[in-house]
Amino acid sequence: MSAVDATLFSKASAEVIGLHRFFVDWFVAARADTVHFSRFERVMAHGFTMVAPDGHVLDRVAVIDHVRSSRATCDDGFAISIEDIRAGWQDEDTIVVLYVEAQLRCGKHSRRQSSAVFTTSSSAPNGVEWRHLHETWLQVPER
């Protein structure tokens, strides 16, 4: 990987970790007042799409509305960890990053394989914005 490639991967990796840290703070009731929602909106590119683990395709507005309405809906036991983060395809200003997102919610564990497309953005906190996200269950969560 060249220095330019490594820098793009470093930015995208930092964004994956940073956004999931935001989610934990936003969703946990005791910490929801410590973060600003604008951080999330700024990194979701116009035209952003997401394939949710259940197969539904969501546009930027639907994703933003869902996250906004989920503020402070979890207890202190909610946690997210990012595992096995690695670079996929990339060019000068676009990269696909693959990672596993592991969650603990209400005492139940779930894991999903994710692939995300990022493009460079000078206005985003980590220098990249989310263009597309695809998540697939690695295990069916217990209901």
Side-chain angles (χ1 to χ4, degrees):
M1 212 184 289
S2 73
V4 171
D5 296 340
T7 299
L8 184 56
F9 177 65
S10 295
K11 289 177 180 181
S13 297
E15 176 55 31
V16 168
I17 293 165
L19 188 67
H20 287 85
R21 188 173 299 127
F22 162 84
F23 287 148
V24 171
D25 290 342
W26 182 256
F27 295 152
V28 171
R31 302 193 331 229
D33 290 337
T34 66
V35 292
H36 297 282
F37 193 73
S38 62
R39 189 267 184 246
F40 179 68
E41 290 177 302
R42 284 186 6 237
V43 297
M44 295 291 111
H46 292 285
F48 172 82
T49 55
M50 175 183 177
V51 179
D54 64 6
H56 285 94
V57 179
L58 307 169
D59 65 10
R60 181 180 187 271
V61 171
V63 172
I64 287 174
D65 287 348
H66 172 73
V67 172
R68 182 183 285 119
S69 67
S70 298
R71 181 182 175 276
T73 56
C74 296
D75 62 26
D76 286 341
F78 177 68
I80 298 175
S81 63
I82 301 301
E83 304 167 357
D84 195 25
I85 192 165
R86 60 197 187 282
W89 175 89
Q90 67 184 91
D91 69 9
E92 288 183 28
D93 67 353
T94 305
I95 187 169
V96 176
V97 174
L98 301 118
Y99 59 93
V100 172
E101 176 184 338
Q103 285 192 17
L104 174 62
R105 184 186 301 242
C106 299
K108 296 181 181 178
H109 295 272
S110 67
R111 292 165 50 84
R112 58 191 87 183
Q113 177 66 58
S114 300
S115 60
V117 178
F118 295 94
T119 54
T120 57
S121 170
S122 60
S123 64
N126 290 302
V128 293
E129 61 185 2
W130 297 74
R131 305 295 302 183
H132 180 76
L133 174 62
H134 189 135
E135 297 182 331
T136 303
W137 290 121
L138 291 176
Q139 67 186 39
V140 177
E142 296 176 20
R143 298 190 187 259

